[in-house]
Amino acid sequence: MRALCWEGADELAVRQVPDPELRNAQDMIVRVRQSVTCGADLPLLAGRSPYLVAGDVLGHEFLGEVVEVGPEVRRHRVADRVVVCAAVSCGACWYCRQGLFACCDNGTAGGPEAESAWGQPVGGCYGHPARTGGFAGSHAEYVRVPYADVGAFTVPEAVSDDRAVFASDAAPTGWLGAELGEVGPGDVVAVWGAGAVGQLTAGAALARGADRVVVIDDHDDRLRMVERHVGAEPLNYRYVDVAAELRERSGGRGPDVCVEAVGMAAGPPGLLGRLGGGAERPLALREAVHACRKGGTVVVLGTWTGSVDAFPLGAVMNKGLTVRSARQHGQRWIPTLLDRMARDELRTEHLATHRLPLERAADGYALFRDRTDGCVRAVFTP
Amino acid sequence: MARMGRLTAAGIALAAAGATATGVVVHRRERSPRAAGSDPRPGRWQVVTVAGRPEEVLPLGRWPEPLRRLDGAVELHARPAPGGRGTELAARPLGGDPGFPGLGAHLVGDDPGRFLRQALREAKQLAETGEVLRADRSRLDRPAASG
Ligand SMILES: NC(=O)c1ccc[n+]([C@@H]2O[C@H](COP(=O)([O-])OP(=O)(O)OC[C@H]3O[C@@H](n4cnc5c(N)ncnc54)[C@H](O)[C@@H]3O)[C@@H](O)[C@H]2O)c1
Ligand SMILES: [Zn+2]
Ligand SMILES: [Zn+2]
């Protein structure tokens, strides 16, 4: 089959790779109909992960059609149209039973090495190095889906592919952000980052009844989307003092909930970074901590894999902040999100600013990485 | 204090309270964080918590696969985890000392701690999900389809 392979820092190529095969009884094979770029791919693309290997297939947010099921798959059959959660989780361990699917004990195929990076193993993800997966990515014609009954969801007929594909990762991440912030009526919420994740977080905060939601970025095209499609207030950090502006918009208190939806820098790694070390500069996170009201909550949705530099712990401590973070536990929310999509309460199509055949996926990533031509997400069709 | 079941391949016998699976090790000098593999006590217990009660994790007290293969080379303990978190399954090389007299190199390779940890992870996965999750085969494992 054809697949988008990472060939080295900033080098991608669509190549012929072996078709995936059933490796476990709970696996199924999905023929991909749509697969989307994600901010989480950018550090990988830039070569910031020392564990990605040339030839690895990228992509983790996808939707498709079931073409083969393993003997232990109960909920799906051939020809089902499914959206697949980007997180690979077993559904049976203690963490999965608590709804902490992204913390699954059995979601990676790596050995004990998977434990050494963060002290414990975490759930898997498609298109990531072995220690957070061991599963090929979705920018391909076919994908193997482990724990198919747990991670794949039949898409209601009323929901188009174009909309449902965002239920794989971006929409549940937005939902996670609003839930970790325990956003509710009366809250002022500020979200850093107007990518798909930031926009869907803002939408989730409004859906939970937030009074005011402000989204911060420096891309005017993305900020216009925030206004038009999400109904949140844009704030361009290039032109205003973010802290002063947020204070003004929150009665001098500061936002109750501050969400960081930016993540690691996507540029080339420094020398230490290439060796798997070095600390990131969490600019938006620092700003969020400073802006947040006393006793408020800072939610970290952006992807971080190592250490950050100059984290303002003093502000956290002295203002009594709560800092929460997670990778999305999509299995918990995808059915609800698909229902909301079917009722037209959650619309995501506008995020797919660029649609390209898989063969042109490298061009799609260039647009997405450089944020040229108003690109928010590029969707590939094999 | 919780009691810990001591297991042999033949069945469960209860060991004395407060067995050492979670025992506190007193180090002379704090050197942390320590790189993986530099454990000064390579013969220590390796422990995983498995969802399910001990009688489910070890039906009839039998050792689960792939630990069963290590009978005679490791000791195994199981006890209920607090708060309904499942069963704590602990294993260490028989004898417990870094020399591993009971552990044949052919069985465990040159890193018995890692080997035991992997065996425990697999036993846990088998008990919880019914199978051991396998990675996709890499491009290097097999030839590309033609075309
Ligand atoms: N927690 C999860 O489970 C999860 C899931 C998906 C994605 N993510 C992460 O969420 C983050 C966002 O994803 P995305 O797909 O929307 O990415 P994206 O790259 O499309 O968007 C990031 C946005 O942040 C903006 N930004 C950069 N620096 C900023 C700053 N200092 N202040 C304000 N905005 C700034 C950029 O201009 C960009 O618009 C990424 O780090 C991604 O890895 C996390
Ligand atoms: Zn993603
Ligand atoms: Zn699990």
Side-chain angles (χ1 to χ4, degrees):
Chain A
M1 66 167 182
R2 306 290 285 169
L4 180 72
C5 300
W6 183 80
E7 305 273 289
D10 281 318
E11 266 181 65
L12 295 171
V14 175
R15 298 210 182 287
Q16 193 71 21
V17 302
D19 286 353
E21 48 190 33
L22 298 176
R23 299 273 287 161
N24 284 96
Q26 300 169 63
D27 288 355
M28 67 186 188
I29 306 291
V30 166
R31 188 175 65 78
V32 177
R33 285 159 68 128
Q34 294 197 1
S35 182
V36 193
T37 61
C38 172
D41 301 328
L42 293 178
L44 294 176
L45 175 61
R48 294 178 80 95
S49 167
Y51 306 107
L52 206 63
V53 177
D56 281 355
V57 178
L58 289 182
H60 56 267
E61 309 190 11
F62 64 107
L63 171 145
E65 209 175 274
V66 178
V67 292
E68 197 179 347
V69 293
E72 293 293 326
V73 176
R74 302 277 176 263
R75 282 179 44 203
H76 298 289
R77 49 185 70 196
V78 169
D80 278 1
R81 186 169 65 116
V82 294
V83 61
V84 178
C85 182
V88 177
S89 317
C90 77
C93 70
W94 184 82
Y95 294 94
C96 286
R97 291 183 191 185
Q98 306 304 306
L100 301 172
F101 289 93
C103 300
C104 176
D105 269 342
N106 304 313
T108 60
E113 299 74 38
E115 301 175 5
S116 59
W118 298 307
Q120 272 98 34
V122 295
C125 186
Y126 299 91
H128 274 71
R131 65 175 53 204
T132 44
F135 315 111
S138 59
H139 298 328
E141 290 178 81
Y142 299 94
V143 181
R144 164 189 169 222
V145 175
Y147 303 124
D149 283 342
V150 181
F153 298 84
T154 300
V155 179
E157 214 157 293
V159 186
S160 67
D161 287 5
D162 296 351
R163 183 175 288 187
V165 70
F166 290 99
S168 175
D169 196 27
T173 305
W175 218 250
L176 163 77
E179 188 173 299
L180 288 179
E182 295 175 21
V183 173
D187 281 342
V188 177
V189 178
V191 179
W192 277 256
V197 171
Q199 291 191 36
L200 290 165
T201 306
L206 288 167
R208 285 177 64 112
D211 232 55
R212 206 162 180 181
V213 179
V214 183
V215 180
I216 301 129
D217 204 302
D218 69 337
H219 283 78
D220 281 319
D221 41 10
R222 293 184 172 208
L223 290 171
R224 274 195 295 277
M225 273 186 174
V226 164
E227 243 180 327
R228 188 174 331 128
H229 295 283
V230 184
E233 302 171 31
L235 192 61
N236 190 322
Y237 68 78
R238 222 181 265 185
Y239 310 130
V240 296
D241 176 340
V242 172
E245 190 71 26
L246 288 176
R247 251 194 323 272
E248 191 178 321
R249 295 192 199 188
S250 60
R253 300 181 301 277
D256 304 274
V257 179
C258 291
V259 183
E260 182 269 357
V262 173
M264 287 159 66
L271 177 64
L272 275 174
R274 273 199 293 280
L275 300 171
E280 301 280 335
R281 295 169 67 219
L283 299 179
L285 181 58
R286 287 180 201 156
E287 206 164 64
V289 167
H290 280 292
C292 196
R293 77 148 162 84
K294 288 176 284 182
T297 301
V298 174
V299 177
V300 183
L301 289 183
T303 299
W304 302 93
T305 54
S307 311
V308 298
D309 175 48
F311 178 74
L313 189 56
V316 171
M317 194 274 162
N318 289 288
K319 294 204 291 182
L321 301 183
T322 300
V323 179
R324 301 185 75 180
S325 186
R327 280 160 48 186
Q328 54 100 357
H329 311 294
Q331 288 84 350
R332 212 156 100 194
W333 301 298
I334 289 173
T336 314
L337 292 170
L338 289 171
D339 282 349
R340 294 182 74 87
M341 287 174 167
R343 291 197 302 269
D344 225 23
E345 290 166 12
L346 176 59
R347 298 191 203 124
T348 54
E349 299 86 327
H350 69 278
L351 300 166
T353 50
H354 292 73
R355 296 183 183 282
L356 299 158
L358 176 65
E359 290 297 324
R360 291 195 49 213
D363 298 339
Y365 265 101
L367 285 166
F368 177 59
R369 180 197 56 203
D370 302 337
R371 317 200 187 288
T372 38
D373 194 31
C375 185
V376 175
R377 287 287 180 100
V379 178
F380 307 130
T381 312
Chain B
M1 204 175 208
R3 287 168 74 82
M4 172 171 279
R6 183 188 166 110
L7 300 170
T8 62
I12 300 181
L14 282 180
T20 52
T22 54
V24 178
V25 185
V26 180
H27 297 289
R28 283 207 183 82
R29 196 156 53 95
E30 203 62 81
R31 282 174 301 158
S32 99
R34 198 174 274 117
S38 64
D39 193 328
R41 263 190 60 194
R44 74 164 62 251
W45 289 96
Q46 301 291 337
V47 195
V48 291
T49 299
V50 186
R53 295 189 306 277
E55 57 273 27
E56 294 163 341
V57 176
L58 302 145
L60 306 173
R62 278 168 65 79
W63 286 28
E65 284 297 350
L67 295 164
R68 204 175 294 168
R69 275 181 273 139
L70 301 178
D71 183 23
V74 301
E75 37 179 336
L76 194 66
H77 278 99
R79 69 172 174 194
R85 282 167 172 74
T87 298
E88 294 173 5
L89 200 58
R92 73 171 171 187
L94 256 186
D97 75 319
F100 314 115
L103 270 187
H106 65 287
L107 264 181
V108 301
D110 51 11
D111 185 349
R114 188 198 175 283
F115 178 85
L116 269 187
R117 204 126 192 98
Q118 177 64 15
L120 284 166
R121 272 172 66 91
E122 288 182 10
K124 170 181 160 73
Q125 277 196 11
L126 277 170
E128 292 179 344
T129 76
E131 36 183 0
V132 175
L133 187 61
R134 301 165 76 197
D136 281 344
R137 286 174 71 181
S138 83
R139 241 190 343 185
L140 305 174
D141 291 342
R142 59 204 169 128
S146 60

